[in-house]
Amino acid sequence: MPAPHTPSGAAQDDDLVFADETPAVAPHGSGAWRVLIVDDDADVHSTTTFALGSLEMHGRPLAFLHAYSAAQAMALLERERDIAVILLDVVMEQADAGLQLVRHVRDTLGRHDVRIILRTGQPGYAPEMDAIRGYDINDYRTKSELTRTKLYTSVAAAIRAYQQIHALEDSRTGLAEVVRANTELMALHSVGEMTLGILREVAALAGQPADGLLCACPPGTPAVGWQVLASCGPSASYTHDGMLLRGAQGPAAAIAQALAERRNLVRDDHLALYFSGKAHCDFAAWVRLARPLDGLRRGLVDVFTSSIAVGLDNVALMTDLHRAAFYDPLTGLPNRTRLVELVDDSLQTRADATLCLVDIDQFAETNDALGHQFGDALLVAVAQRLRQRLDARLALARIGGDIFCVLGQDDLIDPPAVQDLFAAPFSIEGQDVQVSATLGLVRLREHDAGAADALKDADIALKRAKSLRRGGHFYFSRSMGVEIRERVRLMHALRSGFARGELFLAYQPQVELAARRAFGAEALLRWRTEDGRFVPPDRFIPIAEYSGLIIDIGAWVLREACAELVRVRAAGHLDFTMSINVSQVQFRHPHFVDMLRQALLDTGAPPERVELEITESMAMEEPDLLIERLAEIKRTGVSIAIDDFGTGFSSLSYLQRLCVDRLKIDRAFVTEITDAARGSSIAEMVIELGRNLGLSIIAEGVEDERQAQILQTLGCPLAQGYLFARPLAPEALIEWLGSDVLTRAA
Ligand code: C2E
Ligand code: MG
Ligand code: MG
């Protein structure tokens, strides 16, 4: 057995200086450093404790555990953790008992942190160098070598190594925590979720209960305080109406200081965290600490706050974007995009839901008459009333200018009840405004396509409702959908048909009743499809208008009719006038007059021999634009007729301002002319009106001689109709003009 070693001499010459060692991080655990002495010689135990008893490292003393055999040590190590150093005798029960214990500690117990110093009595029992390397042994000394000073040094070094291993371990797990926290927070999509997540993660990293608040801090000193984005634990009580009020103490004061210093402040009982934001807003948090933070955790909190600031920024931006993308800024209601999502949800859950569009009647007029600000205020008031009065289970959205949408269970949506919400006037800027609403509804149950289609269908129902009666409502039905699809099909066919040259003009002669002489013709658009079928203009022109195709088609009509006029003139009919129909969409186009000029220029048609027909209904909309446009057209030398006259309600004075040249009596009034009613007919009134205003008058749709004669006696000099000629193919017109059919017929 090895002789017990007596520690040598004085401790005063010891070269161990621990006092100035400031740890980078706090030591693992607290209390004493635990040192296990394993030796079968009891004397070694007492001399070692005597030699090291006064050693302190980082303010922590040593505490000793004792084992007198390898077996005893094994048992002890099974139950005791947190042992920093083992001072281990090599030779005990067996010559290699110490080394076997080392293997057991490292391999079997998997304890890699504990430091091991091997001591042996006889140099001859030195373990192989391989074992020392392989089993992470800190020191290997013969007992005689191990003076008190050397023992001190060796144990101190071992404790330092133990401490570093733990510090590394802690920061590795700590950093892994930060990375995990970051990744998890990035997956959250709302400011609320994310900020609450941040508070919880800070608390977790600090090893504390979650208790704190997080605020948005835009630049400048706030008058009242900061908006609290999230709070948790007892700190939630610092929040008043969602604000953290300014104050000289507590969280508000700490946050103000962190913002002023632009850094994290760590106090014993709280943290004030500063998150520097890029998107014109910083953030700050206050977290209560149940106990002071150690250095490692401080470091982790710092790393976390600087890494999360970017994410916080992104979430703030995302929330802004989310709001802009899904909410109407004026009313704060969900917008069309959001509604489509909601409808999709309803479609998926197969709920018996109804989609109801609420269109405010005559909103455009109110807006024009009273100004946009007033219009906006009205929309806000409507939004408020709908939100307050409708069942809270119903979703509400604003999906367009003056169109709101209500979505929810069938039985919660009653059209008359929705309309009743508009019964009381809205008070806007001190004025009472009375509006009504028209509803278009679709039952999602009867609908198998997506949300966008459901909305389209509701829109179709709304249009139908409006065409029937303002202030009414209409439910979408499948047959309406079929009709619409047919129109869409026709639109595509028209587009390609126009490109393929399937459109052409027919010309219906216009005659002087007295002389029975043709003085002009009206150009009428025809579409013969590939398979030889004719699609009537009343059917395809509205589609061309609706699709915008009428602009190109209309320009082509202008040019084609002018070209025909030039050909007719070339055939010798110099006083011939060409009448061309112009649709409202085309007429409103900003370049319409340019297109007209271009057609005249390109074909060389004389403007004074060209007449444009606009409908009376069109003459009644947007009077200012119309008057201006008409004057511009008149300057080109082209004259103007009002088509289908008598069907609208143009006022006399208005007609005068329009400076038109001719009125065309609508076919309906020509048809109703009978001998009996001749005195009081609309046709007669129109003729009278034209005469008073000094306008030329023409009757259209004259089908028989009787009508022609009555019109003539009533004072209508000009006419057009099947009586004289059907619309003629281009080749046929000049031939017809050259013949004497009219005079023969008369
Ligand atoms: P509109 O301008 O009032 O044209 C007169 C319509 O009455 C023509 O129908 C013509 O064929 C028809 N008509 C003429 N005389 C008689 C008659 O004695 N009896 C009967 N029953 N009908 C007669 P169409 O060609 O079917 O045109 C329908 C409408 O389509 C036109 O009404 C006009 O509003 C529009 N349209 C035709 N061509 C064009 C065009 O080039 N551009 C635009 N924007 N609209 C056009
Ligand atoms: Mg016409
Ligand atoms: Mg007409």
Side-chain angles (χ1 to χ4, degrees), residues 375-414:
D376 283 356
L378 177 58
L379 290 173
V380 171
V382 170
Q384 276 169 350
R385 181 168 305 169
L386 291 176
R387 185 65 293 165
Q388 283 162 4
R389 305 274 188 83
L390 284 170
D391 191 298
R393 284 168 289 178
L394 293 171
L396 185 61
R398 176 175 170 235
I399 62 168
D402 58 343
I403 304 184
F404 292 86
C405 182
V406 184
L407 171 72
Q409 277 293 116
D410 290 345
D411 51 355
L412 296 178
I413 296 182
D414 171 38

mmCIF file of all heavy atoms in Angstrom, residues 375-414:
data_model
loop_
_atom_site.group_PDB
_atom_site.id
_atom_site.type_symbol
_atom_site.label_atom_id
_atom_site.label_comp_id
_atom_site.label_asym_id
_atom_site.label_seq_id
_atom_site.Cartn_x
_atom_site.Cartn_y
_atom_site.Cartn_z
ATOM 1 N N GLY A 375 -69.811 61.661 -48.957
ATOM 2 C CA GLY A 375 -70.054 60.286 -49.375
ATOM 3 C C GLY A 375 -69.336 59.309 -48.459
ATOM 4 O O GLY A 375 -69.914 58.297 -48.037
ATOM 5 N N ASP A 376 -68.073 59.619 -48.126
ATOM 6 C CA ASP A 376 -67.298 58.757 -47.226
ATOM 7 C C ASP A 376 -67.976 58.654 -45.864
ATOM 8 O O ASP A 376 -68.093 57.575 -45.287
ATOM 9 C CB ASP A 376 -65.884 59.313 -47.046
ATOM 10 C CG ASP A 376 -65.000 59.012 -48.256
ATOM 11 O OD1 ASP A 376 -65.485 58.317 -49.169
ATOM 12 O OD2 ASP A 376 -63.844 59.476 -48.287
ATOM 13 N N ALA A 377 -68.410 59.807 -45.362
ATOM 14 C CA ALA A 377 -69.053 59.816 -44.043
ATOM 15 C C ALA A 377 -70.329 58.966 -44.077
ATOM 16 O O ALA A 377 -70.640 58.253 -43.111
ATOM 17 C CB ALA A 377 -69.376 61.245 -43.631
ATOM 18 N N LEU A 378 -71.029 59.024 -45.185
ATOM 19 C CA LEU A 378 -72.247 58.223 -45.318
ATOM 20 C C LEU A 378 -71.918 56.724 -45.282
ATOM 21 O O LEU A 378 -72.573 55.937 -44.596
ATOM 22 C CB LEU A 378 -72.970 58.585 -46.628
ATOM 23 C CG LEU A 378 -74.229 57.767 -46.949
ATOM 24 C CD1 LEU A 378 -75.261 57.888 -45.849
ATOM 25 C CD2 LEU A 378 -74.831 58.199 -48.284
ATOM 26 N N LEU A 379 -70.851 56.358 -45.997
ATOM 27 C CA LEU A 379 -70.450 54.938 -46.015
ATOM 28 C C LEU A 379 -70.079 54.460 -44.607
ATOM 29 O O LEU A 379 -70.435 53.361 -44.199
ATOM 30 C CB LEU A 379 -69.265 54.736 -46.964
ATOM 31 C CG LEU A 379 -69.590 54.889 -48.454
ATOM 32 C CD1 LEU A 379 -68.316 54.845 -49.282
ATOM 33 C CD2 LEU A 379 -70.567 53.808 -48.901
ATOM 34 N N VAL A 380 -69.351 55.324 -43.884
ATOM 35 C CA VAL A 380 -68.954 54.957 -42.524
ATOM 36 C C VAL A 380 -70.196 54.779 -41.648
ATOM 37 O O VAL A 380 -70.312 53.818 -40.880
ATOM 38 C CB VAL A 380 -68.004 56.018 -41.924
ATOM 39 C CG1 VAL A 380 -67.776 55.766 -40.447
ATOM 40 C CG2 VAL A 380 -66.676 56.027 -42.681
ATOM 41 N N ALA A 381 -71.154 55.704 -41.825
ATOM 42 C CA ALA A 381 -72.385 55.617 -41.023
ATOM 43 C C ALA A 381 -73.163 54.341 -41.354
ATOM 44 O O ALA A 381 -73.697 53.669 -40.460
ATOM 45 C CB ALA A 381 -73.249 56.844 -41.278
ATOM 46 N N VAL A 382 -73.206 54.004 -42.636
ATOM 47 C CA VAL A 382 -73.909 52.779 -43.030
ATOM 48 C C VAL A 382 -73.203 51.564 -42.416
ATOM 49 O O VAL A 382 -73.843 50.682 -41.836
ATOM 50 C CB VAL A 382 -73.977 52.653 -44.575
ATOM 51 C CG1 VAL A 382 -74.472 51.270 -44.980
ATOM 52 C CG2 VAL A 382 -74.889 53.732 -45.156
ATOM 53 N N ALA A 383 -71.862 51.568 -42.515
ATOM 54 C CA ALA A 383 -71.085 50.445 -41.958
ATOM 55 C C ALA A 383 -71.390 50.296 -40.468
ATOM 56 O O ALA A 383 -71.614 49.191 -39.966
ATOM 57 C CB ALA A 383 -69.593 50.676 -42.180
ATOM 58 N N GLN A 384 -71.417 51.424 -39.773
ATOM 59 C CA GLN A 384 -71.674 51.381 -38.328
ATOM 60 C C GLN A 384 -73.058 50.831 -38.024
ATOM 61 O O GLN A 384 -73.232 49.982 -37.160
ATOM 62 C CB GLN A 384 -71.545 52.775 -37.727
ATOM 63 C CG GLN A 384 -70.098 53.107 -37.401
ATOM 64 C CD GLN A 384 -69.921 54.572 -37.069
ATOM 65 O OE1 GLN A 384 -70.837 55.374 -37.268
ATOM 66 N NE2 GLN A 384 -68.736 54.928 -36.579
ATOM 67 N N ARG A 385 -74.029 51.339 -38.781
ATOM 68 C CA ARG A 385 -75.390 50.888 -38.488
ATOM 69 C C ARG A 385 -75.538 49.391 -38.770
ATOM 70 O O ARG A 385 -76.128 48.664 -37.984
ATOM 71 C CB ARG A 385 -76.419 51.668 -39.302
ATOM 72 C CG ARG A 385 -77.815 51.191 -38.944
ATOM 73 C CD ARG A 385 -78.922 52.048 -39.437
ATOM 74 N NE ARG A 385 -78.838 53.453 -39.052
ATOM 75 C CZ ARG A 385 -79.642 54.368 -39.596
ATOM 76 N NH1 ARG A 385 -80.524 54.023 -40.511
ATOM 77 N NH2 ARG A 385 -79.526 55.628 -39.237
ATOM 78 N N LEU A 386 -74.978 48.942 -39.873
ATOM 79 C CA LEU A 386 -75.080 47.516 -40.199
ATOM 80 C C LEU A 386 -74.423 46.687 -39.098
ATOM 81 O O LEU A 386 -74.970 45.695 -38.639
ATOM 82 C CB LEU A 386 -74.423 47.221 -41.548
ATOM 83 C CG LEU A 386 -75.138 47.773 -42.791
ATOM 84 C CD1 LEU A 386 -74.324 47.484 -44.044
ATOM 85 C CD2 LEU A 386 -76.531 47.170 -42.931
ATOM 86 N N ARG A 387 -73.227 47.134 -38.657
ATOM 87 C CA ARG A 387 -72.504 46.377 -37.636
ATOM 88 C C ARG A 387 -73.296 46.327 -36.320
ATOM 89 O O ARG A 387 -73.378 45.299 -35.663
ATOM 90 C CB ARG A 387 -71.129 46.988 -37.448
ATOM 91 C CG ARG A 387 -70.166 46.293 -36.527
ATOM 92 C CD ARG A 387 -69.717 44.916 -36.978
ATOM 93 N NE ARG A 387 -70.771 43.886 -36.985
ATOM 94 C CZ ARG A 387 -70.666 42.724 -37.598
ATOM 95 N NH1 ARG A 387 -69.584 42.441 -38.269
ATOM 96 N NH2 ARG A 387 -71.647 41.841 -37.546
ATOM 97 N N GLN A 388 -73.896 47.479 -35.980
ATOM 98 C CA GLN A 388 -74.621 47.533 -34.707
ATOM 99 C C GLN A 388 -75.927 46.759 -34.731
ATOM 100 O O GLN A 388 -76.291 46.106 -33.764
ATOM 101 C CB GLN A 388 -74.924 48.986 -34.339
ATOM 102 C CG GLN A 388 -73.715 49.707 -33.782
ATOM 103 C CD GLN A 388 -73.877 51.217 -33.840
ATOM 104 O OE1 GLN A 388 -74.940 51.720 -34.232
ATOM 105 N NE2 GLN A 388 -72.827 51.932 -33.483
ATOM 106 N N ARG A 389 -76.619 46.827 -35.855
ATOM 107 C CA ARG A 389 -77.970 46.270 -35.866
ATOM 108 C C ARG A 389 -78.038 44.832 -36.367
ATOM 109 O O ARG A 389 -78.982 44.125 -36.054
ATOM 110 C CB ARG A 389 -78.890 47.117 -36.746
ATOM 111 C CG ARG A 389 -78.925 48.575 -36.357
ATOM 112 C CD ARG A 389 -79.961 48.822 -35.250
ATOM 113 N NE ARG A 389 -80.102 50.246 -35.030
ATOM 114 C CZ ARG A 389 -80.878 51.032 -35.754
ATOM 115 N NH1 ARG A 389 -81.603 50.523 -36.734
ATOM 116 N NH2 ARG A 389 -80.926 52.321 -35.517
ATOM 117 N N LEU A 390 -77.090 44.429 -37.187
ATOM 118 C CA LEU A 390 -77.163 43.059 -37.693
ATOM 119 C C LEU A 390 -76.731 42.084 -36.604
ATOM 120 O O LEU A 390 -75.945 42.435 -35.722
ATOM 121 C CB LEU A 390 -76.255 42.888 -38.912
ATOM 122 C CG LEU A 390 -76.758 43.483 -40.225
ATOM 123 C CD1 LEU A 390 -75.640 43.445 -41.273
ATOM 124 C CD2 LEU A 390 -77.966 42.721 -40.737
ATOM 125 N N ASP A 391 -77.229 40.881 -36.695
ATOM 126 C CA ASP A 391 -76.840 39.825 -35.759
ATOM 127 C C ASP A 391 -75.318 39.691 -35.748
ATOM 128 O O ASP A 391 -74.672 39.675 -36.801
ATOM 129 C CB ASP A 391 -77.482 38.511 -36.228
ATOM 130 C CG ASP A 391 -77.359 37.427 -35.183
ATOM 131 O OD1 ASP A 391 -76.206 37.053 -34.858
ATOM 132 O OD2 ASP A 391 -78.399 36.963 -34.675
ATOM 133 N N ALA A 392 -74.757 39.608 -34.554
ATOM 134 C CA ALA A 392 -73.299 39.580 -34.421
ATOM 135 C C ALA A 392 -72.679 38.346 -35.068
ATOM 136 O O ALA A 392 -71.494 38.317 -35.359
ATOM 137 C CB ALA A 392 -72.911 39.640 -32.948
ATOM 138 N N ARG A 393 -73.501 37.321 -35.317
ATOM 139 C CA ARG A 393 -72.966 36.112 -35.940
ATOM 140 C C ARG A 393 -72.742 36.291 -37.435
ATOM 141 O O ARG A 393 -72.130 35.470 -38.093
ATOM 142 C CB ARG A 393 -73.931 34.936 -35.710
ATOM 143 C CG ARG A 393 -73.863 34.393 -34.293
ATOM 144 C CD ARG A 393 -75.015 33.455 -34.013
ATOM 145 N NE ARG A 393 -76.273 34.208 -33.913
ATOM 146 C CZ ARG A 393 -77.460 33.634 -33.705
ATOM 147 N NH1 ARG A 393 -77.543 32.329 -33.609
ATOM 148 N NH2 ARG A 393 -78.557 34.375 -33.601
ATOM 149 N N LEU A 394 -73.282 37.397 -37.988
ATOM 150 C CA LEU A 394 -73.127 37.626 -39.423
ATOM 151 C C LEU A 394 -71.815 38.348 -39.700
ATOM 152 O O LEU A 394 -71.423 39.246 -38.962
ATOM 153 C CB LEU A 394 -74.290 38.466 -39.943
ATOM 154 C CG LEU A 394 -75.660 37.785 -39.901
ATOM 155 C CD1 LEU A 394 -76.750 38.800 -40.231
ATOM 156 C CD2 LEU A 394 -75.693 36.619 -40.868
ATOM 157 N N ALA A 395 -71.147 37.931 -40.766
ATOM 158 C CA ALA A 395 -69.924 38.637 -41.187
ATOM 159 C C ALA A 395 -70.348 39.796 -42.077
ATOM 160 O O ALA A 395 -71.330 39.709 -42.809
ATOM 161 C CB ALA A 395 -69.013 37.698 -41.943
ATOM 162 N N LEU A 396 -69.588 40.885 -41.976
ATOM 163 C CA LEU A 396 -69.921 42.077 -42.744
ATOM 164 C C LEU A 396 -68.662 42.527 -43.475
ATOM 165 O O LEU A 396 -67.564 42.471 -42.928
ATOM 166 C CB LEU A 396 -70.388 43.155 -41.759
ATOM 167 C CG LEU A 396 -70.907 44.463 -42.331
ATOM 168 C CD1 LEU A 396 -72.131 44.220 -43.197
ATOM 169 C CD2 LEU A 396 -71.257 45.415 -41.195
ATOM 170 N N ALA A 397 -68.826 42.949 -44.722
ATOM 171 C CA ALA A 397 -67.661 43.410 -45.483
ATOM 172 C C ALA A 397 -68.073 44.555 -46.385
ATOM 173 O O ALA A 397 -69.263 44.769 -46.624
ATOM 174 C CB ALA A 397 -67.105 42.264 -46.323
ATOM 175 N N ARG A 398 -67.077 45.327 -46.817
ATOM 176 C CA ARG A 398 -67.364 46.319 -47.856
ATOM 177 C C ARG A 398 -66.515 45.923 -49.053
ATOM 178 O O ARG A 398 -65.292 45.872 -48.959
ATOM 179 C CB ARG A 398 -66.984 47.726 -47.385
ATOM 180 C CG ARG A 398 -67.193 48.762 -48.477
ATOM 181 C CD ARG A 398 -66.936 50.171 -47.958
ATOM 182 N NE ARG A 398 -66.908 51.116 -49.050
ATOM 183 C CZ ARG A 398 -65.883 51.935 -49.291
ATOM 184 N NH1 ARG A 398 -64.834 51.935 -48.507
ATOM 185 N NH2 ARG A 398 -65.926 52.758 -50.306
ATOM 186 N N ILE A 399 -67.185 45.605 -50.150
ATOM 187 C CA ILE A 399 -66.447 44.997 -51.242
ATOM 188 C C ILE A 399 -66.320 45.900 -52.453
ATOM 189 O O ILE A 399 -65.728 45.524 -53.448
ATOM 190 C CB ILE A 399 -67.070 43.657 -51.667
ATOM 191 C CG1 ILE A 399 -68.485 43.880 -52.183
ATOM 192 C CG2 ILE A 399 -67.080 42.692 -50.503
ATOM 193 C CD1 ILE A 399 -69.020 42.644 -52.884
ATOM 194 N N GLY A 400 -66.853 47.088 -52.366
ATOM 195 C CA GLY A 400 -66.717 48.005 -53.493
ATOM 196 C C GLY A 400 -67.251 49.338 -53.071
ATOM 197 O O GLY A 400 -67.722 49.469 -51.944
ATOM 198 N N GLY A 401 -67.169 50.334 -53.938
ATOM 199 C CA GLY A 401 -67.596 51.701 -53.638
ATOM 200 C C GLY A 401 -68.742 51.773 -52.650
ATOM 201 O O GLY A 401 -68.554 52.104 -51.489
ATOM 202 N N ASP A 402 -69.929 51.414 -53.100
ATOM 203 C CA ASP A 402 -71.088 51.540 -52.225
ATOM 204 C C ASP A 402 -71.729 50.178 -52.006
ATOM 205 O O ASP A 402 -72.917 50.084 -51.752
ATOM 206 C CB ASP A 402 -72.100 52.516 -52.831
ATOM 207 C CG ASP A 402 -72.551 52.059 -54.210
ATOM 208 O OD1 ASP A 402 -71.871 51.206 -54.797
ATOM 209 O OD2 ASP A 402 -73.583 52.552 -54.689
ATOM 210 N N ILE A 403 -70.943 49.123 -52.151
ATOM 211 C CA ILE A 403 -71.509 47.785 -51.978
ATOM 212 C C ILE A 403 -70.962 47.107 -50.728
ATOM 213 O O ILE A 403 -69.764 46.925 -50.570
ATOM 214 C CB ILE A 403 -71.254 46.897 -53.215
ATOM 215 C CG1 ILE A 403 -71.825 47.593 -54.452
ATOM 216 C CG2 ILE A 403 -71.895 45.529 -53.027
ATOM 217 C CD1 ILE A 403 -71.735 46.788 -55.715
ATOM 218 N N PHE A 404 -71.880 46.781 -49.821
ATOM 219 C CA PHE A 404 -71.530 46.045 -48.614
ATOM 220 C C PHE A 404 -71.954 44.598 -48.813
ATOM 221 O O PHE A 404 -72.711 44.287 -49.736
ATOM 222 C CB PHE A 404 -72.251 46.632 -47.399
ATOM 223 C CG PHE A 404 -71.753 48.005 -47.038
ATOM 224 C CD1 PHE A 404 -72.274 49.135 -47.654
ATOM 225 C CD2 PHE A 404 -70.741 48.168 -46.092
ATOM 226 C CE1 PHE A 404 -71.804 50.400 -47.333
ATOM 227 C CE2 PHE A 404 -70.268 49.425 -45.773
ATOM 228 C CZ PHE A 404 -70.798 50.541 -46.390
ATOM 229 N N CYS A 405 -71.472 43.754 -47.947
ATOM 230 C CA CYS A 405 -71.843 42.357 -48.083
ATOM 231 C C CYS A 405 -72.075 41.746 -46.703
ATOM 232 O O CYS A 405 -71.305 41.988 -45.770
ATOM 233 C CB CYS A 405 -70.738 41.610 -48.807
ATOM 234 S SG CYS A 405 -71.162 39.897 -49.045
ATOM 235 N N VAL A 406 -73.154 41.017 -46.586
ATOM 236 C CA VAL A 406 -73.464 40.328 -45.336
ATOM 237 C C VAL A 406 -73.398 38.833 -45.629
ATOM 238 O O VAL A 406 -73.911 38.383 -46.652
ATOM 239 C CB VAL A 406 -74.882 40.692 -44.844
ATOM 240 C CG1 VAL A 406 -75.150 40.045 -43.498
ATOM 241 C CG2 VAL A 406 -75.047 42.206 -44.749
ATOM 242 N N LEU A 407 -72.747 38.100 -44.749
ATOM 243 C CA LEU A 407 -72.586 36.660 -44.969
ATOM 244 C C LEU A 407 -72.923 35.923 -43.687
ATOM 245 O O LEU A 407 -72.453 36.306 -42.614
ATOM 246 C CB LEU A 407 -71.136 36.371 -45.366
ATOM 247 C CG LEU A 407 -70.725 34.900 -45.438
ATOM 248 C CD1 LEU A 407 -71.361 34.231 -46.643
ATOM 249 C CD2 LEU A 407 -69.211 34.765 -45.514
ATOM 250 N N GLY A 408 -73.741 34.887 -43.802
ATOM 251 C CA GLY A 408 -74.028 34.102 -42.606
ATOM 252 C C GLY A 408 -75.170 33.131 -42.825
ATOM 253 O O GLY A 408 -75.694 33.009 -43.945
ATOM 254 N N GLN A 409 -75.557 32.481 -41.739
ATOM 255 C CA GLN A 409 -76.624 31.479 -41.783
ATOM 256 C C GLN A 409 -77.859 31.998 -42.520
ATOM 257 O O GLN A 409 -78.295 33.124 -42.268
ATOM 258 C CB GLN A 409 -77.040 31.140 -40.346
ATOM 259 C CG GLN A 409 -76.156 30.125 -39.671
ATOM 260 C CD GLN A 409 -76.293 28.767 -40.349
ATOM 261 O OE1 GLN A 409 -75.324 28.264 -40.908
ATOM 262 N NE2 GLN A 409 -77.496 28.205 -40.340
ATOM 263 N N ASP A 410 -78.418 31.152 -43.378
ATOM 264 C CA ASP A 410 -79.620 31.518 -44.132
ATOM 265 C C ASP A 410 -80.690 32.179 -43.269
ATOM 266 O O ASP A 410 -81.239 33.205 -43.623
ATOM 267 C CB ASP A 410 -80.249 30.254 -44.744
ATOM 268 C CG ASP A 410 -79.389 29.701 -45.870
ATOM 269 O OD1 ASP A 410 -78.505 30.451 -46.336
ATOM 270 O OD2 ASP A 410 -79.607 28.549 -46.259
ATOM 271 N N ASP A 411 -80.971 31.535 -42.126
ATOM 272 C CA ASP A 411 -82.096 32.015 -41.324
ATOM 273 C C ASP A 411 -81.811 33.339 -40.624
ATOM 274 O O ASP A 411 -82.705 33.957 -40.057
ATOM 275 C CB ASP A 411 -82.530 30.940 -40.312
ATOM 276 C CG ASP A 411 -81.353 30.407 -39.509
ATOM 277 O OD1 ASP A 411 -80.200 30.812 -39.823
ATOM 278 O OD2 ASP A 411 -81.571 29.620 -38.570
ATOM 279 N N LEU A 412 -80.564 33.788 -40.653
ATOM 280 C CA LEU A 412 -80.254 35.078 -40.017
ATOM 281 C C LEU A 412 -80.355 36.237 -41.010
ATOM 282 O O LEU A 412 -80.281 37.392 -40.638
ATOM 283 C CB LEU A 412 -78.838 35.046 -39.430
ATOM 284 C CG LEU A 412 -78.583 34.044 -38.294
ATOM 285 C CD1 LEU A 412 -77.127 34.112 -37.861
ATOM 286 C CD2 LEU A 412 -79.510 34.341 -37.123
ATOM 287 N N ILE A 413 -80.474 35.891 -42.294
ATOM 288 C CA ILE A 413 -80.515 36.947 -43.309
ATOM 289 C C ILE A 413 -81.909 37.042 -43.914
ATOM 290 O O ILE A 413 -82.348 36.168 -44.659
ATOM 291 C CB ILE A 413 -79.461 36.696 -44.402
ATOM 292 C CG1 ILE A 413 -78.057 36.763 -43.783
ATOM 293 C CG2 ILE A 413 -79.588 37.728 -45.520
ATOM 294 C CD1 ILE A 413 -76.930 36.569 -44.766
ATOM 295 N N ASP A 414 -82.586 38.125 -43.568
ATOM 296 C CA ASP A 414 -83.938 38.354 -44.057
ATOM 297 C C ASP A 414 -83.908 39.667 -44.849
ATOM 298 O O ASP A 414 -83.733 40.736 -44.269
ATOM 299 C CB ASP A 414 -84.888 38.450 -42.852
ATOM 300 C CG ASP A 414 -86.273 38.895 -43.279
ATOM 301 O OD1 ASP A 414 -86.720 38.453 -44.355
ATOM 302 O OD2 ASP A 414 -86.893 39.691 -42.548
#
